[in-house]
Structures are given as C-alpha cells and as structure tokens.
Amino acid sequence: MAADALIELRGVNKHYGKLHVLQDIDLTVGRGEVVVIIGPSGSGKSTLCRAINRLETIESGTIRLDGVPLPEEGRALAELRAEVGMVFQSFNLFAHKTVLANVMLAPVKVRRKKKEEAAQRARELLDRVGLAAHAEKYPAQLSGGQQQRVAIARALAMEPKALLFDEPTSALDPEMINEVLEVMRQLARDGMTMVVVTHEMGFARSAANRVVFMADGRIVEDRTPEEFFTAPRSERAKDFLSKILKH
Ligand SMILES: Nc1ncnc2c1ncn2[C@@H]1O[C@H](COP(=O)(O)OP(=O)(O)OP(=O)(O)O)[C@@H](O)[C@H]1O
Ligand SMILES: [Mg+2]
C-alpha cells in the first residue's frame, strides 16, 4: 500500500439479496486527506461508510486501517470502532445526559479514562466546536447545528485516527449548516483524515482533496474537486451535477 495510506479498500463487494450494493470498490484515503463522496440516492455511499467502520460486513475484498485488516469481531473490533469516529445525519446523542456527559461517556466507558481527565478533555473539545458555554445543557435545549457539533466533539473525544461523516448537515435547517461545515473545515485544516458523504458542493470544492463519485454501487470518478466540477468525465456525473447545481 501507499506509504501514507490510512484507509485502504481493495476489491470490496457486498450484496443486499440480489442488489450488488458495493461493486469492486478500490479506494485509498491518505493520512490527513479529506475525501468527499457524492452520488445519487441509493448508490451505496452510506453502505461504504458503514463498511469502513465495520457496521456492515463485506463479502469479498479487504479493508485496512493503518495497514491492519479490519477485525471480524470482539475486543479488536471495538477498538477499531474507537479509532474511526462516525458522525451521522441524526445526531444520536443521549437525551437524558448533559452535553458534557455525552462527550465524556465513551472515553470513560471504553477507554477507562478517569472522570476528571475525561471531563477536562470534553470541555476542551466543546470549546473547539464553539460550545463551551453549553456543557451543562441537555441535547433538547440546543439547536440542531449545536447538537451536531456536540456529536463531532463526542467523536473527537475518542481521539480517532479518522472521522467518517454521513450527510452530517442533511437534517439541519439552512442557517445551521454553515456552523457545522465550518467546524469540519477547521478539522480538515488541523490535519484530520476525513471521509465525508455530503450534498454540500461548496464544502467539497473548498475542503476536499478528492471527490469520489459513486453510482450503482461503483466508484465512477475519483479526482480532485477542480477536475471533477469543471470537467466531469462520465455521463452519470454530468447528469448528477446538472441536477444538483440547478437548485
Ligand atoms: N439493510 C439493508 N437491506 C437491504 N437493502 C439495503 C439496506 N441498506 C441499504 N440498502 C439498499 O442499498 C442501496 C444503497 O443504499 P445506501 O444507503 O448505501 O445508499 P446511499 O448512496 O447512502 O443513498 P442516500 O443518498 O439516499 O443516503 C439502496 O438501494 C438501499 O435501498
Ligand atoms: Mg446514505
């Protein structure tokens, strides 16, 4: 593998019944790289993200993280999940816990960190996502954009090697999208390795090192944003871009 590859997929295949949802996927994400995945609904973007985190099994091919094949199960799998954070469209915060408790939870439970240490780190992370003043609130007392920033802080609390984002702004009101994208841009500038499924083409243009275009379970294009947006090669990508850039 390439010297600086952090996530590497080779010949990955998966079916849901007759549907061939991932077809011979080859994808390398370098350390510190930001890869944006776009494509029509049902093309397999979420399945790909979930496979990288082993939330979905694959039938053939290999997925390596930092050179190590994904473990099948057990403690090794739990550790892998901790190394690759995931941020979903729905924030999945614990409603009955404060913002601070949400961010501290996994480091204490999974990493066995001391509470004071975890709390201090959680406060630093909340500060980083602009929510230091909201640590004692409950999720329902925050806006959607604030809740999603808590979810990002929570993912960061495990000190992951990479972060996967699956449409992190799709459930947000328009005025909240930017505050979440700005946190993600800052993470990218800080060198975090990120795989981001999004329809935010502005983010793809400004923050991505590469754009991966998927259709029908295949990677159809894998190029720089400049190349992809100015001169898409495939008819599928041209068609997709003409639809999404119109509105
Ligand atoms: N658990 C499942 N069982 C059966 N089929 C599934 C399952 N999950 C996803 N699929 C199907 O696999 C295909 C790819 O789904 P996936 O969620 O990966 O697409 P996507 O590119 O993320 O789409 P969207 O943009 O709508 O989120 C779709 O046709 C979907 O209906
Ligand atoms: Mg999806």
Side-chain angles (χ1 to χ4, degrees), residues 20 64 110 123 163 201 226:
H20 198 171
R64 288 170 186 269
V110 181
R123 287 186 193 282
L163 282 182
M201 295 301 120
E226 299 77 41

Side-chain angles (χ1 to χ4, degrees), residues 59-199:
E59 287 144 16
S60 64
T62 55
I63 303 179
R64 288 170 186 269
L65 180 71
D66 228 351
V68 180
L70 294 199
E72 292 288 312
E73 57 194 3
R75 174 119 197 108
L77 179 57
E79 276 163 20
L80 165 101
R81 290 240 174 85
E83 290 189 343
V84 182
M86 186 132 179
V87 175
F88 301 91
Q89 179 175 333
S90 54
F91 329 120
N92 299 334
L93 299 174
F94 290 105
H96 58 287
K97 290 188 185 292
T98 65
V99 162
L100 186 73
N102 266 280
V103 179
M104 286 171 58
L105 190 66
V108 171
K109 293 265 180 214
V110 181
R111 288 271 157 85
R112 311 247 173 253
K113 267 202 184 177
K114 288 206 184 83
K115 279 202 171 162
E116 307 84 84
E117 207 182 306
Q120 192 192 336
R121 177 76 183 135
R123 287 186 193 282
E124 285 167 17
L125 290 169
L126 287 170
D127 189 38
R128 190 161 160 196
V129 300
L131 293 173
H134 301 274
E136 314 305 332
K137 288 188 180 167
Y138 287 85
Q141 296 172 285
L142 302 182
S143 72
Q146 289 171 330
Q147 289 186 57
Q148 190 59 300
R149 286 184 282 144
V150 175
I152 294 172
R154 181 181 56 177
L156 289 171
M158 292 298 279
E159 283 154 30
K161 288 181 178 167
L163 282 182
L164 310 175
F165 294 83
D166 192 358
E167 301 202 25
T169 60
S170 295
L172 299 178
D173 292 335
E175 71 270 23
M176 292 167 193
I177 290 176
N178 251 322
E179 67 193 44
V180 172
L181 293 179
E182 194 42 54
V183 166
M184 292 167 63
R185 283 195 191 93
Q186 188 58 50
L187 287 175
R189 284 193 289 266
D190 292 345
M192 176 60 77
T193 306
M194 295 162 52
V195 175
V196 184
V197 178
T198 185
H199 298 297

